[in-house]
Amino acid sequence: MGRPQAYSLPDLPYGYKDLEPHMSEEQLRVHHDKHHATYVKNANAIFENLAKSRKEGTDLDTKSVLKSLAFNASGHILHSLFWPNMAAAGNGGGKPGGALGDLLEKEFGGFDRFKKEFTHAAVSAEGSGWAALTIDSLTRRPQIMQIEKHNVNVYPGFAVLMVLDVWEHAYYIDHKNMRDKFVEAFWNIANWDEVGKRLQKLL
Ligand code: MN
């Protein structure tokens, strides 16, 4: 059984209305069905062009193609991590327990300090970007990344536990320009069970 040779838009692990009132159906539909789908389509088109060019022996504008692929593939990968690290309203939020809770406690001195730092990374990301909770591949210590676009300021090899999309397309329908309100709402639907499972796979 081989792996799929192209990307596909994953279904959401909840209904479109299930994140309300923290994220509206309209906001989620546009974000998932339009924005995420575009990254999938663009990345797959580049893979097809690469294959065609190799088959036909034609030259590529390598620098441009690889830059676009890094952007679109990273966009797909981050969004695919984003949807499941949210949970239906009532099933998410609160604080993580178990190994994840212990890890955050040890590194940040407590969940509240982690939340403050992650919030600041999300709110202060310049232009379009993400905040990410990651694990350092060398030390296994947690590290907050502030990603610009989908692929700038990313540390090679770090595993991603949780991401928060702070592109305007992620919140403009619900919150207009008030990114801080969106980040505040996110904490109510953070899926700590999922984030904890991602950590368990690394331990
Ligand atoms: Mn997005």
Side-chain angles (χ1 to χ4, degrees):
M1 205 174 76
R3 287 186 174 250
Q5 296 297 297
Y7 293 150
S8 58
L9 183 67
D11 290 335
L12 294 175
Y14 34 72
Y16 285 103
K17 295 175 190 293
D18 291 352
L19 302 184
E20 293 184 346
H22 310 295
M23 189 183 292
S24 72
E25 177 181 4
E26 187 187 5
Q27 179 70 72
L28 184 56
R29 275 191 190 278
V30 169
H31 195 180
H32 176 266
D33 296 5
K34 305 295 181 191
H35 290 281
H36 185 173
T38 299
Y39 299 123
V40 172
K41 184 168 162 262
N42 290 347
N44 285 338
I46 295 167
F47 289 134
E48 282 171 24
N49 285 340
L50 285 169
K52 187 165 178 269
S53 161
R54 286 164 189 162
K55 195 175 168 190
E56 296 175 354
T58 53
D59 287 336
L60 290 163
D61 182 353
T62 304
K63 188 175 174 185
S64 162
V65 168
L66 295 186
K67 186 173 181 177
S68 183
L69 183 58
F71 175 80
N72 284 289
S74 298
H76 169 54
I77 291 163
L78 287 174
H79 284 93
S80 299
L81 289 161
F82 182 44
W83 311 125
N85 73 216
M86 294 186 288
N91 296 339
K95 297 180 181 187
L100 177 62
D102 293 346
L103 194 71
L104 296 180
E105 180 78 34
K106 188 178 173 200
E107 184 68 32
F108 296 94
F111 176 75
D112 290 344
R113 174 71 194 197
F114 159 73
K115 185 177 171 183
K116 189 177 171 186
E117 286 191 26
F118 189 95
T119 294
H120 194 240
V123 171
S124 69
E126 199 169 78
S128 300
W130 300 72
L133 171 63
T134 69
I135 296 288
D136 186 321
S137 53
L138 300 178
T139 62
R140 292 302 203 213
R141 287 172 63 179
Q143 174 71 40
I144 294 170
M145 269 187 212
Q146 186 182 63
I147 301 170
E148 292 176 8
K149 299 196 281 186
H150 299 310
N151 53 320
V152 177
N153 292 347
V154 174
Y155 305 25
F158 281 35
V160 177
L161 297 181
M162 180 175 83
V163 287
L164 173 56
D165 188 341
V166 290
W167 281 56
E168 279 190 352
H169 73 218
Y171 60 84
Y172 212 83
I173 292 169
D174 284 350
H175 301 284
K176 298 289 189 291
N177 60 315
M178 293 175 288
R179 187 192 283 179
D180 58 329
K181 298 289 179 201
F182 168 67
V183 174
E184 197 178 307
F186 167 76
W187 294 111
N188 296 308
I189 44 175
N191 186 346
W192 296 119
D193 288 344
E194 171 66 21
V195 180
K197 279 180 199 161
R198 291 177 187 171
L199 176 64
Q200 283 299 330
K201 286 182 187 165
L202 301 171
L203 297 176

